Amino acid sequence: MITDRIDAVTRIPPEYMKAAPPAPKSVKIEISPRCNYRCGFCALRTREVQPKWDMDFKLFKRVTREMREAGVQEIGVFYLGESFMAPRLLVDCIDYLKNEIGMPYVFLTSNASMAFPEAVEACMKAGLDSLKWSVNAADEAQFEKVMGVAGKLFYRALDNIQAAWELRKDYKTGLYASSIHYDGEQAAKMESLLKERIIPYVDQHYWLPLYSMGAFATTREAQLGYRPTAGNQGRLEALREPLPCWSAFTEGHVTAEGNLSACCFDATANWTMGDLNKQSFMEAWNAPAFVKLRAAHLKKDVCGTVCERCVAYS
């Protein structure tokens, strides 16, 4: 199940409890930094200018081959943006990973609104192992308030989720869904939606806490009445301690520009540790700045580092 894989990544094993650890088991790569949603809790909203470019395919091929040679076992063909904004590139990336370099596991998370059946089937045919939907609103009104876009996308996403389930019978792609467990009444409101429109069309559903997104989206979160957790503590039923933060030790994060980030929510390049246009993946993974930051995490004292504000919620 997908939760077993998530827990394996968010649990830092002894051999990774060092400032210069081995290559991560998992890496997420931003195929497209663009997104058609405007979610109030998302770090993407902190960008002054929303990018209009997608990742260079030649760069993608080079860095993922390096990752495979270094021992990376899982690649997420997404990071912060919505990868179905660039469906042709997305399919090409999946095909390269599965059929050219033999990546054991390729996964994707999507908001579903742009995941039209033709594109989803192409991803499945290319060999996508896991497709997870983010479902974070109970109805059209709540969707418009939280996601900040027209309610018609709420229904489109639900239709695409059902269509993907019907397509999946001919493929091996696992289908999953997650939902953010907000404060207040939203979780209860979502139960009926999940029961009727989501759970029948996925292999597993699980809950996530409301992340702080690097402490950059807090103003909008407060307006919506939600309280984020410290850092990224994993899924709700298997929360990890904020320090040391697993995302700096066991999972890589690569932006569309080719920057390696120490943070899973780095929309503003505050956590950039290396430039993969100029460095190999492992050179960036254990670059001096990254080693220094991890050492602070291991001491559980990130005062004066870029991570200081994120863990302040604890």
Side-chain angles (χ1 to χ4, degrees), residues 54-165:
D54 299 315
M55 191 171 198
D56 179 74
F57 189 41
K58 290 182 179 179
L59 176 63
F60 177 88
K61 291 192 289 185
R62 197 208 88 215
V63 299
T64 53
R65 185 172 290 277
E66 291 175 355
M67 292 171 189
R68 184 73 182 105
E69 292 172 351
V72 173
Q73 298 293 307
E74 304 178 3
I75 295 287
V77 280
F78 72 103
Y79 176 26
L80 296 175
E82 169 54 57
S83 294
F84 278 107
M85 296 290 285
R88 184 66 262 168
L89 175 60
L90 173 61
V91 173
D92 288 344
C93 289
I94 296 169
D95 181 69
Y96 177 77
L97 291 171
K98 296 301 296 184
N99 302 310
E100 293 292 330
I101 63 173
M103 188 61 64
Y105 190 77
V106 179
F107 61 104
L108 171 62
T109 291
S110 169
N111 66 33
S113 68
M114 299 295 291
F116 298 110
E118 297 83 0
V120 170
E121 184 169 21
C123 290
M124 292 179 175
K125 187 177 296 186
L128 183 66
D129 294 289
S130 167
L131 176 52
K132 189 201 79 172
W133 311 114
S134 290
V135 182
N136 297 311
D139 52 39
E140 181 179 357
Q142 191 173 58
F143 178 89
E144 291 182 344
K145 179 181 178 182
V146 176
M147 280 69 205
V149 291
K152 64 181 181 180
L153 294 180
F154 173 74
Y155 299 106
R156 181 196 292 176
L158 294 176
D159 290 342
N160 287 341
I161 290 171
Q162 181 174 347
W165 179 259

Side-chain angles (χ1 to χ4, degrees), residues 164-185:
W165 179 259
E166 294 166 356
L167 283 170
R168 203 276 300 268
K169 66 180 184 296
D170 296 323
Y171 303 97
K172 296 181 179 180
T173 306
L175 292 175
Y176 310 100
S178 67
S179 302
I180 293 175
H181 200 289
Y182 300 93
D183 293 339
E185 301 177 356

Side-chain angles (χ1 to χ4, degrees), residues 7-14 16-17 240 244-247 249-250:
D7 295 348
V9 173
T10 62
R11 182 189 305 111
I12 307 176
Y16 281 82
M17 281 286 194
R240 309 304 184 193
C245 181
W246 61 268
S247 68
F249 290 80
T250 60

